[in-house]
Amino acid sequence: MSCVLFEIKNKIAFITLNREEKFNAFNREMALALQKVLDECESNNDIRSVLITGAGKAFCAGQDLAEVVDPAGPGMKKILSEHYNPIISKIRKLNKPVVAAVNGVAAGAGANIALCCDVAVAAQSASFIQAFSKIGLIPDSSGTFFLPRLIGLQKASAFMMLGDKVSAAEAERIGMIYKVFSDDQFKEESTQLAATLASMPTKALAFTKQALNNSLFSNLQDQLKTEDNLQQSAAATYDFKEGVQAFLEKRRPIFKGN
Ligand code: LHQ
């Protein structure tokens, strides 16, 4: 069985981290397989939203710690540069919305991969742990970039230094994630969210993502220019014409993603 499952259905790419017995911890094989399917999501025009989840009880327990001490393993140097950093860059650059559907515990790099997605939702029983300090590491996989921006420096510092377990409800309350769904409804609700995103004007969402990426480091004047440029591109799409036409005709728009 493959360590990353990939299925395209109704314009949604479903990616499932699939090392259930290891709580979907990343080894090299899984990290490279995830990169491969993210590339497919980028290039395949039939895909209009992406949903990442975990098989079984956990979302992802971060790095497989057995691999770190395995003399035949990739070694510390490659783990960030060849595994996690390309995954984060691919998700942030992906020209479609990416939903993290956090079905269970998300620890270490697993938590931070979820938090770099465009929309992170969690099941009521899920939790988030910045597990790094407990093993003498620093938070990586973009955690030090996104977490303080999501929840502020104080809570980010405390969670990262203490390695607290943050419940899904708390994560929602403090703005770490978008929403919590009950365990019963989680699969259905997170799929519905991905379906809604897949029905929206895909190019406008990609330009929105580009503008948000830029906003993380720009000043107001630069950001206004970025919005201006991207808005010209959005206004040139079919979906923009359809959206305006549908409004004027008092009907629901049918977006095609181009
Ligand atoms: C695991 C793991 C795991 C292997 C659960 N590895 N087997 C970057 C730079 C370079 C190197 C290092 O890494 C990184 C990035 C990182 O992600 S560092 C952080 C790595 N992750 C952790 O430190 C988390 C370790 N895991 C845990 O703290 C717990 O397992 C959590 C809180 C995730 C879940 O706790 P429980 O619900 O009590 O489950 P469990 O501990 O019993 O785990 C279930 C199974 O999964 C168990 O296997 P077993 O055969 O005993 O049933 C664990 O050994 C295995 N597992 N995490 N990271």
Side-chain angles (χ1 to χ4, degrees):
M1 182 69 98
S2 168
C3 56
V4 171
L5 307 179
F6 186 61
E7 188 190 8
I8 303 168
K9 211 169 149 189
N10 302 328
K11 310 271 175 202
I12 306 167
F14 292 89
I15 299 175
T16 306
L17 307 176
N18 188 38
R19 297 183 75 224
E20 200 174 325
E21 70 295 349
K22 301 281 180 200
F23 271 27
N24 306 316
F26 273 98
N27 60 7
R28 183 171 174 83
E29 188 190 352
M30 191 167 104
L32 298 183
L34 177 57
Q35 290 177 35
K36 200 166 163 220
V37 297
L38 289 170
D39 286 342
E40 165 77 14
C41 293
E42 172 83 27
S43 60
N44 185 335
N45 288 332
D46 284 341
I47 297 170
R48 291 179 55 194
S49 75
V50 179
L51 182 148
I52 305 177
T53 195
K57 274 168 65 175
F59 175 73
C60 172
Q63 172 62 33
D64 184 330
L65 295 175
E67 186 182 63
V68 176
V69 295
D70 180 353
M76 279 296 284
K77 222 171 159 46
K78 285 188 178 170
I79 289 179
L80 287 189
S81 64
E82 294 185 10
H83 299 184
Y84 298 115
N85 292 354
I87 290 171
I88 302 298
S89 299
K90 283 176 195 294
I91 291 173
R92 289 310 314 164
K93 286 183 190 153
L94 221 154
N95 54 1
K96 289 137 202 180
V98 183
V99 174
V102 181
N103 53 305
V105 65
N112 291 337
I113 287 172
L115 298 180
C116 90
C117 291
D118 298 301
V119 184
V121 294
Q124 188 80 38
S125 59
S127 55
F128 295 82
I129 311 175
Q130 294 292 324
F132 308 87
S133 62
K134 295 188 172 171
I135 54 167
L137 287 181
I138 71 140
D140 55 35
S141 305
S142 74
T144 59
F145 188 84
F146 286 109
L147 194 59
R149 285 168 169 80
L150 290 168
I151 64 171
L153 191 59
Q154 262 297 318
K155 276 190 184 284
S157 307
F159 291 156
M160 288 175 162
M161 291 185 179
L162 296 166
D164 288 341
K165 184 189 250 197
V166 182
S167 69
E170 174 76 349
E172 182 196 61
R173 193 184 68 76
I174 64 179
M176 194 192 289
I177 61 168
Y178 173 53
K179 268 186 189 171
V180 180
F181 300 130
S182 70
D183 288 357
D184 289 354
Q185 293 293 308
F186 177 69
K187 204 167 172 190
E188 200 180 312
E189 297 268 20
S190 49
T191 302
Q192 184 52 54
L193 172 64
T196 301
L197 288 166
S199 73
M200 298 194 67
T202 312
K203 288 211 161 141
L205 301 195
F207 296 140
T208 301
K209 185 165 175 172
Q210 254 179 274
L212 289 172
N213 280 341
N214 197 73
S215 80
L216 296 167
F217 357 78
S218 70
N219 60 36
L220 175 62
Q221 290 312 315
D222 283 349
Q223 196 57 22
L224 289 174
K225 268 189 221 145
T226 299
E227 287 180 359
D228 189 352
N229 287 337
L230 291 168
Q231 195 67 295
Q232 304 312 317
S233 304
T237 61
Y238 168 89
D239 283 345
F240 168 66
K241 290 178 192 68
E242 165 64 6
V244 173
Q245 202 59 35
F247 176 80
L248 296 175
E249 292 170 9
K250 299 191 188 303
R251 62 173 172 81
R252 282 172 73 90
I254 301 167
F255 294 121
K256 291 186 176 170
N258 53 42

